[in-house]
Every structure is written in structure tokens, then in C-alpha cells.
Amino acid sequence: MSIQLKKGVLDLCVLSKLSYKDSYGYDIYQTIDNILGISESTIYPILRKMVKEGYLTTYLKESPEGPARKYFKITRFGKKHLENLKNDWITFVRNVESLLVEEREL
Amino acid sequence: MKRKFLTELEKYLAPLGVEERNEILRFYEERFQSGKIYENKTESEIVDELETPKQIAINVLEEYGYSINDIKTEDNSAQKKELSYGRIAILLIVDFFIVISAIPALIGAFIGLVAGWGGLVFMIFTPEIHGVQPLINLILIGAAILWLFLLFWLYDVIVTLITWIVRWHLKAFNYKDPAKILKKMHHLKISTYLRHHRSLKQTKSLITVFALLGIFIGGIASIVQYGGLNRSQFNEPLETYETSYDMTGEILASENLTINIDIYHSEIEFRVTDTEEIVVYVKEKESVPLEVAYNEENNLLSITSDMERPFLSWNFISFFFQDNPELIIEIPNNLSLQSITVKSLNGKLDMNDIDLIGNLNVDIINGDIDLNNLSVDNIYIETVNGRIILKDIEANNDFEVDLDNGSINVRRISALNYDFHNTNGDIILRDIDVSNQVGETLRAQLTNGDIELQNVYVNEVTLKNTNGDIDFHNDDLTFVFDKVDANTTNGSEDINVPKN
């Protein structure tokens, strides 16, 4: 999978993951890494960018075992953006799929 | 470990604003802390897990829309320590070519020049080679000095080249302190040494000037002395060596004399006089030892040059300026001659009014041959380059002419068997056996050029040509040939004679 294609769906994956549960940077990276195999240093600037764009907010959460961690939480605006991205994705996948099927039948 | 990592990362992230930079750094700070606490890892384990600060910075800055060029590279020592295998591969390929070509070529050139220099010095100390010419020695010494300096320069060039190669290798293998080695090599150069020793350098410059001056003066003086330029200005008469050998007393006039000439180069002339004297004259602008000897037993007069011409002789230069040397042989008209043999490399041959009981042999590589009014038994002429003109010659038997480049022009001759051979040029034969005996065979063979026969009365005629025409016309059409065989590959045959 090309890096450009991965980066295209990175926003969708991050927002989707956070729509279920708040999480911290390293955890987000590990999940995304499992799916997309993307480098740590690519994820962090994107989290920072989504905070600035208002899709995410952050808060510090104390942990019983150690120091506080910075948690990311999806905003309402982020959820709306996630819906748009999901629709885009489904349409995109369908279109590509139909094209590939057509090609097979030819 | 962590500090170093973060400091380095911070430096690489310099293009970002403070706020953004700190945000990114916080991610990594958190990574270290949680790694230590939650996963019980050491700092170095975490560093190993992470990408290098530089790689992180490249990815991060790319996300922020920076180009890779914006990343600070002022301290990229980390990368510098890595060997570049591509570079080493190129290095090895180039090394291979240097070993098989450049180094042997340079060494060969150097040895060649040293040997040449040695030859020059040898020549200076053995003046016999060039005939004890002080002017030549002046030029040779000047040349030897300049040559030596050329060798110095070439040596420096070789050292410089090797220094470059060494520097390149040291760089490719990340040698820590190349400057020290390179400096040492720099000191091997003669020019470096001279730079540190000013007086020597000045001496060298002075010697160079003297050498050039010597060559200049020697050259000018030689041209004036030998070349004939403005000779009168220097009030120096041109020396012409004229040696005469009077052989009259020695030679037994009653016997049949044989003359053998074997020399290097000269214009040769035979003169028949009314006197009783046999005199050999040698005229030359330089004394060339010719040996004129008479052998009583065989009644043989031989004229030979007893030494081989050296390569670097004045003829080498004066060839273009001065006249050819002359060799004149005066013979009384009542002297009975057996045979004459002339062998020479360069020069022309003139011979008039001579009767021989025996043969005339001529063997000249380059030069014109002019023979008039002779009577011989056999005549054999062999030349490579030149023009051959033969007139009024009577031969009892064979008449052979062999030439490569030039023309054969024959008039009013008679013999029994004729053989003419040429490669490039014409063969022109006129009035052959008109009044005297009738010749038996005539053969003319040519490759490029025309064969022309007019009034030739020989029983069997064979004419062969490759590129060119054959013309054959006789005035007396009552003479019927036994055989006329004319054949040319590319050209026309115009034969108008009666035959059986």
C-alpha cells in the first residue's frame, strides 16, 4: 500500500478509533500501526493538526501507576467530519470496486 | 540518552515554531516516560525502538509542509561516519583502471623521458657523434637542461596525481586526519622544496634563461653558418671541402679498369676528358670521409664512404638548405674500362661517352639517372624513385631497367634482350634497334601509367599493363614481328604493326 494512500485514510482511521474511546498518542499510534503500518513520527503531527482544526480536544488524565498522559477526545465537529469522511470512503470504495468488477467481466 | 535524543530532535525541528515544536517534543517525552513506567524499558531500549531524530524530523516537517532541504544539516556527523558503499565501489573500479592503464602509462612516459635525457647527455659528452660541433653542443646542453626541468615538472605532476588519489581514498574510508598525510605528500614535490628554498628557485630560473638563450644563440648561429642566411654579415666564408684524388700514377692505363662506387649520397658524374689523368673530385660543404682506393691486383678503383651516416648529423638540417655533395670522376678518353658499378642511396647519376667491355650496374634508391652515348656488354639499372633517361646506348646482350616510381624514357638504343619494369609512371621507348642488329625479345611491364612504343624493331614484343594504355606504332611497316603480345587490364590498346 502506497504511503500516499495510507495518509489519505489516516484522518478517517484516527477519528474512527477515537469515536469509540478516548486515547493517548502512543496507543493511537499502535492501533493505526497495526492497520496501516505507518511511522510514529507521521502520526503525531497529524494528531496535533486535528486538534488545531477542532476535530479533537485534549485533556490530561492521571494514572494510578505513573505520570499524567495527554488524552485525545473527538469533538462534535470531529464526529461530523468523521461522518463525511466515512461517506466519502464508502462511495470511494464502491466506485473503485465497481470499476474493478467491470474490468474483471470484460 | 533521552536528553541527547530530545535535544537533537529539537535542533532538527528548528524550522517549526516554538509551540509546534514543543508539542511534538511532548509526544516523545511522554513516550520515554510511559515506556519506562508502564513497560519497564530503559531509555536506550526506547531510543532503539524509535526512529533517529533526523528521520523523525524529516517526517514531521514533511507533515507540516516543509521540504527536506529545510532540515538543518550543519552537524550531520552521524551520517558522515557511515561508509558509502557506492562510493567505494566507484573507487575500486577507478583504482582498477589506474592500475592497468594510468600508472603504467605515466611510469613508461617518465622512464622514456629519463632515457631520452640520458641519450642527450651522452651525446654532449661524445661529440664525435655529431662531428664536434660546438654550436650543436650548445643547443644540446640547453635542451638537456630544459629536459631535466621537464622531468622535474612531470615528477611533480605524478606526485600531485597520487596525492589526489590518496585524498580520495582517505575520504571514502572516513580516515580521521587526512590533512597530515596529504601535507607529507605535498612535501615530496620538488616545487614545494623550491618554494622553501628561494635561492635554489632563483638559480633554477636563471639556468632556464641561460638554457633558452643557449638554444636560441646556437640555433641562430647554426642557421647562419650552415643554412646560408645573411652569411656575409658575419664575414664568414662558407667552407667548401674540395678534395681531389689524382690516381693517374697508380692506375695502369694499359689494363681494363673496373670502377666500383658505393656511397651514401652524392651527385655522381662521369666525365671523359682529353687529358691523360684520372682524377676523383669530391665537393662538399662538409667533409665526408670518402675512401678512394685502387687495387692493383684486380685493377679496381673503388670509391666508398667508410662510415654510416649518424642520425643526428648536420645533413639532417642542412638537407633543406645546401646543395647535394658532388662526386666527379674524370677519365681520359683513351682509357680502356672493364665495368662500372654505382651504388648509392640518394643522388643522381650522369654518365656520358663511355665505352665498357663489361657491364654497367646502377643501383640507386632515390635519384634521377641520365645516361648518354654508352657502349656496354650488359646494362642493369635498378631504382626505386626517380626519372630515368637513356639515350644512344649500345648493349651487346641484356638491357634491363627496373623502377618503382617515375618514368622510363629510352631513345636510340640497341641490345639483344630488353626488359623494362615500372610500377607507377610511364614507359616510353623510341627508335630501338633501328639500324643495327635486330633484338630478340622486349618485355615491358607496368602497373599504373602508359606504355608507348615507336619505331621498335625487336622480334618478340611482350607488353603488359594494368591501368593505362598501350600504344605501338612503327614507321617501317615492312618489318614483321614474330610475336606482339600486348595486354592491358584497364585501358586501350592501340597496336599498329604487322606480325606473323
Side-chain angles (χ1 to χ4, degrees):
Chain A
M1 204 176 179
S2 92
I3 189 83
Q4 291 308 319
L5 215 52
K6 284 175 186 176
K7 278 183 180 174
V9 294
L10 201 53
D11 284 20
L12 175 61
C13 293
V14 170
L15 287 174
S16 180
K17 178 185 164 59
L18 291 174
S19 69
Y20 301 107
K21 200 183 164 206
D22 296 352
S23 183
Y24 55 93
Y26 186 50
D27 184 40
I28 297 169
Y29 156 67
Q30 280 178 319
T31 311
I32 303 294
D33 187 37
N34 281 339
I35 302 164
L36 293 177
I38 208 147
S39 78
E40 213 174 338
S41 49
T42 311
I43 295 236
Y44 294 153
I46 278 169
L47 289 173
R48 171 67 192 148
K49 190 185 76 191
M50 292 204 288
V51 171
K52 268 170 93 179
E53 282 168 348
Y55 301 137
L56 304 176
T57 54
T58 58
Y59 60 91
L60 287 172
K61 192 180 173 183
E62 298 288 339
S63 158
E65 299 111 308
R69 273 171 167 161
K70 192 183 195 176
Y71 271 72
F72 292 85
K73 179 188 170 69
I74 192 164
T75 62
R76 257 184 36 175
F77 185 49
K79 276 180 181 162
K80 217 175 157 189
H81 184 57
L82 174 62
E83 285 308 309
N84 289 339
L85 286 177
K86 260 187 192 166
N87 289 335
D88 287 350
W89 173 253
I90 288 162
T91 317
F92 171 72
V93 169
R94 268 195 204 134
N95 288 345
V96 173
E97 190 67 35
S98 69
L99 188 73
L100 294 179
V101 168
E102 249 176 59
E103 209 164 60
R104 262 204 299 273
E105 284 170 357
L106 271 173
Chain B
M1 206 68 192
K2 172 183 139 192
R3 267 288 53 92
K4 191 179 165 243
F5 183 91
L6 290 175
T7 319
E8 219 173 321
L9 181 57
E10 188 177 8
K11 201 167 64 195
Y12 282 125
L13 290 175
L16 291 181
V18 185
E19 201 190 336
E20 297 302 318
R21 201 188 325 157
N22 286 340
E23 283 294 334
I24 299 297
L25 287 170
R26 266 204 68 170
F27 279 113
Y28 283 95
E29 237 165 63
E30 200 184 279
R31 266 296 257 119
F32 275 106
Q33 281 175 4
S34 49
K36 262 199 287 197
I37 292 154
Y38 298 116
E39 291 171 74
N40 210 9
K41 285 176 184 165
T42 66
E43 278 183 8
S44 66
E45 276 173 334
I46 296 164
V47 169
D48 287 343
E49 241 173 45
L50 295 168
E51 297 154 289
T52 64
K54 190 175 183 182
Q55 191 53 51
I56 292 169
I58 288 170
N59 286 344
V60 170
L61 287 170
E62 208 186 342
E63 284 305 322
Y64 278 96
Y66 289 91
S67 84
I68 296 166
N69 296 337
D70 295 318
I71 297 155
K72 275 202 173 181
T73 49
E74 60 198 7
D75 182 25
N76 49 5
S77 56
Q79 209 205 9
K80 210 176 175 180
K81 270 172 197 148
E82 287 167 27
L83 290 178
S84 160
Y85 291 103
R87 207 168 172 185
I88 290 169
I90 293 171
L91 201 69
L92 290 177
I93 291 168
V94 174
D95 278 355
F96 180 70
F97 282 107
I98 288 172
V99 166
I100 65 162
S101 64
I103 286 180
L106 268 178
I107 292 173
F110 195 74
I111 291 173
L113 282 171
V114 170
W117 186 75
L120 209 56
V121 172
F122 174 75
M123 222 180 270
I124 292 168
F125 288 105
T126 44
E128 304 86 61
I129 289 183
H130 54 78
V132 201
Q133 302 278 0
L135 286 176
I136 293 218
N137 251 351
L138 192 61
I139 295 174
L140 288 179
I141 290 167
I145 290 167
L146 292 187
W147 197 317
L148 186 67
F149 291 163
L150 176 78
L151 284 177
F152 287 174
W153 177 80
L154 193 69
Y155 167 80
D156 276 6
V157 168
I158 292 172
V159 172
T160 308
L161 271 175
I162 293 172
T163 310
W164 284 352
I165 293 166
V166 168
R167 172 159 51 198
W168 198 22
H169 281 76
L170 293 177
K171 240 178 154 177
F173 290 101
N174 286 327
Y175 187 77
K176 272 175 238 148
D177 192 10
K180 211 170 159 186
I181 291 178
L182 295 177
K183 205 173 171 191
K184 256 186 195 160
M185 294 197 64
H186 186 64
H187 279 286
L188 285 175
K189 286 203 272 184
I190 293 168
S191 60
T192 314
Y193 185 80
L194 289 178
R195 206 168 294 138
H196 292 294
H197 298 80
R198 282 207 139 211
S199 57
L200 264 179
K201 198 184 175 184
Q202 284 166 348
T203 315
K204 187 192 154 197
S205 309
L206 209 66
I207 293 172
T208 310
V209 170
F210 275 121
L212 284 170
L213 219 63
I215 291 174
F216 183 72
I217 292 170
I220 291 284
S222 311
I223 288 170
V224 167
Q225 187 174 350
Y226 301 101
L229 294 177
N230 295 331
R231 206 176 292 137
S232 54
Q233 276 187 1
F234 286 80
N235 241 346
E236 252 185 71
L238 179 70
E239 266 186 280
T240 303
Y241 296 89
E242 189 169 334
T243 325
S244 62
Y245 304 85
D246 192 340
M247 313 299 286
T248 319
E250 293 183 50
I251 292 171
L252 302 166
S254 57
E255 299 283 327
N256 298 330
L257 180 69
T258 299
I259 301 176
N260 268 354
I261 299 174
D262 187 354
I263 54 174
Y264 177 80
H265 94 270
S266 213
E267 287 181 9
I268 304 163
E269 193 185 336
F270 285 85
R271 271 187 209 156
V272 178
T273 62
D274 293 335
T275 60
E276 297 286 317
E277 286 159 356
I278 303 169
V279 187
V280 178
Y281 294 100
V282 182
K283 272 193 203 170
E284 232 186 336
K285 292 186 179 91
E286 171 202 1
S287 159
V288 170
L290 273 187
E291 202 184 332
V292 180
Y294 174 68
N295 183 321
E296 206 175 312
E297 208 175 308
N298 307 322
N299 200 17
L300 172 75
L301 173 68
S302 65
I303 302 167
T304 49
S305 54
D306 64 343
M307 87 170 189
E308 285 286 308
R309 288 278 171 150
F311 169 69
L312 196 105
S313 109
W314 264 118
N315 288 358
F316 173 67
I317 297 164
S318 61
F319 205 75
F320 304 100
F321 299 109
Q322 86 184 39
D323 306 329
N324 279 334
E326 282 176 63
L327 175 67
I328 298 165
I329 300 132
E330 280 189 0
I331 310 161
N333 56 9
N334 59 1
L335 182 74
S336 168
L337 289 165
Q338 176 63 38
S339 60
I340 295 178
T341 302
V342 178
K343 253 179 116 172
S344 176
L345 194 59
N346 299 302
K348 51 186 225 183
L349 174 66
D350 268 310
M351 205 186 272
N352 295 303
D353 310 313
I354 285 177
D355 292 347
L356 295 178
I357 295 162
N359 299 343
L360 173 64
N361 282 290
V362 178
D363 185 354
I364 293 177
I365 306 289
N366 302 300
D368 298 340
I369 295 170
D370 227 319
L371 306 181
N372 264 303
N373 199 16
L374 307 180
S375 156
V376 297
D377 187 28
N378 297 297
I379 180 166
Y380 303 104
I381 299 172
E382 214 183 318
T383 314
V384 178
N385 302 302
R387 177 180 53 87
I388 299 178
I389 297 175
L390 310 171
K391 281 180 190 165
D392 301 300
I393 297 171
E394 276 179 43
N396 295 327
N397 292 303
D398 294 345
F399 198 116
E400 281 186 32
V401 179
D402 193 344
L403 178 68
D404 270 346
N405 304 298
S407 62
I408 300 174
N409 208 319
V410 176
R411 261 187 182 212
R412 293 184 299 277
I413 61 167
S414 64
L416 199 60
N417 296 302
Y418 303 86
D419 200 337
F420 299 99
H421 186 273
N422 193 1
T423 306
N424 301 302
D426 297 337
I427 298 178
I428 298 165
L429 310 174
R430 284 197 184 141
D431 305 317
I432 292 179
D433 281 347
V434 175
S435 51
N436 297 0
Q437 81 225 61
V438 174
E440 286 296 326
T441 60
L442 185 146
R443 224 153 55 96
Q445 199 179 346
L446 181 64
T447 307
N448 303 302
D450 297 336
I451 299 178
E452 257 182 71
L453 275 74
Q454 202 178 336
N455 294 330
V456 173
Y457 303 100
V458 181
N459 282 332
E460 290 185 10
V461 176
T462 310
L463 309 171
K464 224 181 145 193
N465 197 353
T466 306
N467 302 305
D469 301 338
I470 297 178
D471 276 17
F472 192 0
H473 293 274
N474 276 359
D475 290 342
D476 182 3
L477 292 176
T478 60
F479 184 89
V480 180
F481 289 85
D482 288 348
K483 178 185 144 195
V484 174
D485 190 356
N487 194 329
T488 175
T489 314
N490 304 303
S492 66
E493 292 159 28
D494 186 0
I495 317 289
N496 189 17
V497 290
K499 60 176 176 173
N500 287 332

